[in-house]
């Protein structure tokens, strides 16, 4: 790893020279801002604004920076963003930037930040944060050191694009089952693979057809493309090992990394899926159907159970709700292969780093950029991006707490253009933000979601489940967040990793996808032979080398975190 990148040296030169107006690629007439801390009007010395170019690798549509929240951000900071987003492959766009040495002022490169850092394209923000970032330091608090790139190179190149702290009030759990299935089983949560299998078998036998005459499917997965990681790979770690989400890796208490699919417990889980497949309980098309096919099956009400995550299947569930088929919608449950496994759904894994917003060497006014980011991190900035404009999107009650009227809540749920037209929630990600449930000094949560608001919005099926379980919140039946320790390293899936590691990791995943699918679809007698072949292929493709590299990386990140 590089100890000091070119970007850090260029920053020193730029700051020493006292650069004046504007930022690179921002157009003529941009002036250096004098705006600073929370609540100050963000005007320049002569009243003009600073335009900063910003590339967002995860944005799918235009952001013209004209909505009310965007305009308020500019009023408060003196900064207007000229936002660009990928049209084709974002990797090609980042590679082109590096090849041509043409960068925006600020950038969110998603998983390609490592390439920018290796190319010396991102500046070290450490000194800027020290001088202009009190709200940044306040937000990250005891996890601030996790922002450092590595033990060898402790520069801060990015602010995390993920939430700091918080809890969950809504989650899909480790498995999702239809409410009708729960009701028929008196809301019992299966405590083993065999028990879940029998419950599914009995339910499908009793309800072989839907009301529309379609065949009932016990369990379906989406494994023909990258979604295999979400529905086949990730659940194996949660259900079989009780492991938190570290991508395709298991990390033990000594920070040793293991490629997940070599675990004997994960192997047993895959063998169970093989049994479901051969018994007809697992969708025979799980490995060949497109994701659109998968969503269509969900929206028809045919699929009793899923092993998925909410953002991946919610489009199908929305149609069920629109059709009034609430009994066919899904409830997340804390399902594991063994009742002694503590399901880690509510575990806070710590600040996810490796993906975030950085300032590039092209920016001629990094002070304006860091002040903008610092305002986003302030209480005032967080309320603005999450709640919108006071009096318009939210109000303050007699106790000083923020609330939304029902018409605003309904609009946020039902109007697909709500975020884009109002700006509420549109400018949160990928900028820094507090997690759900974190409260400010008034006792209001930074996010619009709160325990009370989630409970208040439950439908009749959700209320019935809560009553049956004797809880207020569906997630109250899960092991709670305070039952888990926060790891001293960031989740592996978000970490910036060496190119050499990613090259091997990609090869391993390319072997694992068809290998796992073949094993699950094999005859019962051929499962072990097929799985052994996959393991052999993994071992011959650098798996041990990747495990050693990742172990060293995780131990280094943990050491950084423990320096405090």
């Amino acid at each position: 790893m590089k100890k000091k990148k070119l970007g850090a040296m260029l920053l020193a030169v730029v700051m020493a020279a006292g650069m004046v107006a504007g930022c690179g690629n921002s157009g003529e007439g941009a002036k250096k801002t004098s705006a600073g801390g929370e609540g100050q009007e963000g005007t320049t010395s002569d009243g003009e604004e600073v335009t900063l170019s910003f590339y967002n690798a995860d944005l799918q549509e235009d952001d013209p920076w004209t909505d009310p929240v965007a305009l308020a951000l500019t009023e408060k900071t003196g900064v207007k963003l000229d936002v660009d987003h990928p049209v084709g492959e974002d990797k090609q766009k980042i590679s082109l930037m590096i090849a041509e040495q043409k960068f925006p002022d600020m950038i969110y490169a998603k998983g390609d930040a490592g390439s920018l850092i290796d190319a010396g394209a991102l500046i070290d923000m450490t000194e800027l944060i020290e001088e202009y970032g009190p709200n940044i330091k306040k937000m990250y608090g005891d996890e601030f050191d996790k922002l450092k790139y590595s033990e060898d190179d402790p520069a801060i190149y990015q602010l995390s694009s993920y939430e700091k702290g918080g809890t969950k009030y809504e989650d899909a759990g480790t498995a999702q089952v239809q409410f009708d299935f729960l009701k028929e089983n008196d809301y019992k949560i299966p405590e083993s693979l065999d028990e879940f299998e029998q419950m599914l078998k009995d339910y499908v036998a009793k309800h072989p057809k839907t009301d529309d005459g379609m065949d009932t499917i016990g369990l379906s997965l989406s494994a023909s493309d990258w979604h295999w990681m979400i529905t086949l790979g990730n659940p194996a770690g949660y259900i079989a090992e009780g492991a938190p989400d570290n991508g395709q890796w298991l990390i033990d208490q000594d920070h040793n990394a293991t490629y997940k699919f070599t675990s004997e417990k994960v192997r047993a889980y895959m063998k169970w899926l093989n049994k479901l497949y051969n018994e007809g309980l697992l969708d025979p098309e799980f490995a060949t159907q497109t994701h659109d096919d998968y969503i269509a099956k969900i929206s028809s009400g045919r699929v009793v159970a899923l092993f998925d995550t909410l953002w991946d299947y919610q489009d199908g569930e929305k149609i069920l709700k629109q059709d009034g088929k609430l009994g066919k919608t899904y409830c997340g449950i804390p399902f594991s292969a063994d009742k002694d496994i503590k399901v880690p759904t509510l575990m806070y894994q710590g600040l996810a780093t490796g993906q975030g917003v950085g300032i590039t060497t092209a920016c001629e006014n990094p002070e304006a950029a860091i002040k903008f980011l610092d305002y986003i991190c302030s209480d005032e900035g967080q309320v603005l991006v999450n709640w919108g404009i006071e009096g318009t999107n939210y109000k303050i009650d007699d106790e000083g707490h923020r609330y939304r009227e029902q018409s605003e809540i309904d609009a946020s749920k039902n109007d697909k253009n709500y975020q884009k037209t109002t700006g509420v929630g549109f400018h949160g990600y990928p900028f820094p933000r507090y997690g759900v449930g974190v409260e400010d000094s008034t006792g209001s949560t930074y996010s619009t979601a709160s325990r009370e608001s989630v409970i208040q919005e439950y439908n009749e099926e959700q209320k019935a489940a809560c009553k049956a379980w004797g809880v207020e919140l569906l997630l109250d039946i899960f092991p709670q967040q305070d039952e888990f320790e926060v790891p001293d390293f960031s989740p592996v899936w978000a970490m910036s990793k060496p190119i050499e590691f990613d090259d091997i990791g990609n090869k391993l995943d390319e072997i694992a996808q068809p290998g796992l699918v073949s094993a699950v679809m094999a005859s019962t007698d051929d499962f072990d032979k097929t799985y052994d072949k996959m393991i052999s292929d993994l071992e011959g493709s650098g798996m041990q080398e990747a495990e050693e590299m990742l172990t060293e990386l995780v131990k280094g990140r943990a050491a950084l975190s423990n320096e405090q």
Side-chain angles (χ1 to χ4, degrees):
M1 300 235 182
K2 298 183 179 181
K3 295 204 173 203
K4 279 291 177 186
K5 301 293 184 288
L6 176 60
M9 293 185 288
L10 286 180
L11 171 61
V13 173
V14 169
M15 293 183 71
M19 295 299 292
V20 286
C23 274
N25 308 325
S26 59
E28 296 181 2
K31 303 294 183 182
K32 182 177 179 180
T33 179
S34 59
E38 181 174 328
Q40 294 181 336
E41 293 301 316
T43 56
T44 58
S45 57
D46 57 3
E48 295 189 31
E49 299 169 353
V50 173
T51 298
L52 300 179
S53 53
F54 173 54
Y55 177 76
N56 183 347
D58 218 20
L59 193 64
Q60 302 300 314
E61 55 186 333
D62 289 336
D63 178 5
W65 205 256
T66 54
D67 62 74
V69 171
L71 296 179
L73 284 169
T74 297
E75 179 184 355
K76 291 294 183 181
T77 66
V79 171
K80 176 181 179 181
L81 294 188
D82 179 10
V83 185
D84 188 19
H85 62 92
V87 177
E89 289 290 330
D90 60 311
K91 275 194 174 183
Q92 295 177 2
K93 185 71 174 279
I94 300 295
S95 297
L96 186 61
M97 288 180 189
I98 294 172
E100 296 181 345
Q101 288 292 290
K102 293 182 179 179
F103 306 103
D105 299 314
M106 295 195 298
I107 189 167
Y108 171 60
K110 203 172 181 179
D112 293 318
S115 298
L116 290 172
I117 294 169
D118 286 342
L122 298 184
I123 69 171
D124 179 1
M125 295 185 282
T126 303
E127 292 184 11
L128 286 170
I129 293 171
E130 191 62 35
E131 187 168 358
Y132 303 109
N135 295 301
I136 294 173
K137 295 177 72 173
K138 175 190 170 188
M139 173 179 283
Y140 289 116
D142 59 359
E143 295 194 271
F144 182 79
D145 283 342
K146 288 184 179 179
L147 295 171
K148 296 177 180 178
Y149 185 62
S150 70
E151 192 173 18
D152 292 336
D153 180 7
I156 297 176
Y157 296 112
Q158 301 176 101
L159 302 184
S160 175
S161 58
Y162 295 96
E163 296 175 341
K164 167 62 172 72
T167 186
K168 296 178 182 178
Y169 300 125
E170 299 175 279
D171 197 276
T174 52
Q176 305 79 44
V177 293
Q178 291 179 336
F179 281 99
D180 284 348
F181 172 85
L182 278 176
K183 282 186 290 188
E184 190 146 320
N185 286 281
D186 296 322
Y187 295 93
K188 177 175 176 53
I189 305 299
E191 295 183 340
S192 68
L193 299 178
D194 290 342
E195 185 174 34
F196 192 37
E197 175 187 346
Q198 191 61 51
M199 290 168 68
L200 272 179
K201 191 178 297 184
D202 292 345
Y203 186 85
V204 172
K206 189 173 180 180
H207 305 278
K209 300 280 186 180
T210 66
D211 292 341
D212 299 330
M214 293 181 289
D215 291 336
T216 299
I217 299 170
L219 169 69
S220 190
L221 309 174
S222 178
S224 67
D225 56 20
W226 64 268
H227 291 88
W228 78 273
M229 298 181 183
I230 311 302
T231 67
L232 184 60
N234 285 353
Y238 309 148
I239 295 171
E241 288 275 1
D245 186 4
N246 280 305
Q248 310 294 24
W249 303 88
L250 299 173
I251 310 297
D252 68 18
Q253 61 184 5
D254 296 319
H255 303 118
N256 295 308
T258 303
Y259 193 62
K260 182 192 305 179
F261 305 114
T262 63
S263 157
E264 286 301 316
K265 290 182 179 180
V266 169
R267 181 187 182 114
Y269 169 81
M270 293 297 173
K271 194 167 189 174
W272 176 70
L273 287 181
N274 169 263
K275 184 181 180 184
L276 296 190
Y277 179 81
N278 283 296
E279 291 179 349
L281 285 176
L282 175 58
D283 188 348
E285 299 176 333
F286 84 94
T288 57
Q289 65 187 347
T290 66
H291 195 67
D292 286 343
D293 293 334
Y294 170 74
I295 294 299
K297 288 178 180 178
I298 291 171
S299 66
S300 71
R302 299 174 62 192
V303 185
V304 180
L306 309 171
F307 295 153
D308 205 342
T309 190
L310 181 59
W311 57 262
D312 197 44
Y313 69 82
Q314 64 183 357
D315 286 347
E317 192 171 54
K318 285 178 181 178
I319 294 174
L320 289 170
K321 291 178 179 178
Q322 290 172 5
D323 293 342
K325 299 179 179 180
L326 294 180
K328 301 301 181 186
T329 61
Y330 297 91
C331 181
I333 59 173
F335 172 60
S336 61
D338 187 296
K339 64 179 180 180
D340 293 329
I341 292 176
K342 186 187 291 187
V343 169
T345 295
L346 300 185
M347 176 183 181
Y348 175 55
Q349 284 186 255
L351 181 67
T353 59
Q355 298 184 19
V357 175
I359 303 171
T360 77
T361 55
C363 186
E364 296 178 2
N365 192 344
E367 292 177 9
I370 203 69
K371 287 177 180 178
F372 175 83
L373 294 171
D374 188 67
Y375 179 79
I376 290 282
C377 293
S378 71
D379 283 7
E380 185 175 283
Q382 287 289 291
V383 171
L384 177 58
V385 297
N386 285 303
W387 288 82
I389 310 299
E390 182 180 348
T392 300
N393 307 115
Y394 73 93
K395 296 182 179 180
I396 306 292
D397 65 21
D398 293 339
E399 296 180 349
H401 296 152
R402 291 182 291 277
Y403 72 94
R404 296 187 298 172
E405 294 186 331
Q406 191 60 46
S407 58
E408 188 74 15
I409 294 173
D410 292 342
S412 69
K413 285 187 170 184
N414 302 324
D415 181 358
K416 66 179 182 179
N417 294 316
Y418 173 82
Q419 286 193 341
K420 194 173 181 180
T421 55
T422 66
V424 179
F426 193 57
H427 304 289
Y429 174 83
F431 294 108
R433 62 198 184 282
Y434 288 105
V436 173
V438 179
E439 297 181 352
D440 65 13
S441 59
T442 71
S444 297
T445 55
Y446 290 106
S447 66
T448 55
S450 66
R451 182 182 177 91
E452 292 73 21
S453 68
V454 170
I455 293 172
Q456 183 180 359
E457 295 169 22
Y458 276 162
N459 60 43
E460 60 192 57
E461 294 292 347
Q462 293 168 316
K463 290 177 181 178
C466 285
K467 183 177 180 180
W469 288 324
V471 297
E472 294 181 327
L473 192 74
L474 291 172
L475 290 186
D476 287 344
I477 67 172
F478 286 69
Q480 296 300 295
Q481 186 179 91
D482 60 8
E483 298 180 46
F484 300 91
E485 290 186 10
V486 179
D488 53 7
F489 61 93
S490 297
V492 169
W493 54 264
M495 283 183 180
S496 292
K497 297 177 271 299
I499 294 175
E500 298 84 357
F501 172 86
D502 285 337
D503 287 343
I504 298 175
N506 290 337
K507 288 179 184 177
L508 298 179
D509 291 346
E510 289 170 3
I511 293 169
Q513 180 186 12
L516 292 171
V517 166
S518 296
V520 172
M521 295 178 67
S523 66
T524 302
D525 292 338
D526 287 341
F527 174 84
D528 285 323
K529 179 176 65 177
T530 307
Y531 208 91
D532 287 341
K533 172 64 166 58
M534 179 191 71
I535 297 296
S536 177
D537 291 343
L538 291 171
E539 291 173 343
S541 299
M543 181 177 70
Q544 183 176 349
E545 182 183 355
E547 289 177 341
E548 291 172 354
M549 279 194 285
L550 186 57
T551 296
E552 182 181 358
L553 180 64
V554 172
K555 288 183 175 180
R557 296 294 172 85
L560 268 178
S561 180
N562 292 325
E563 283 180 359
Q564 300 180 71

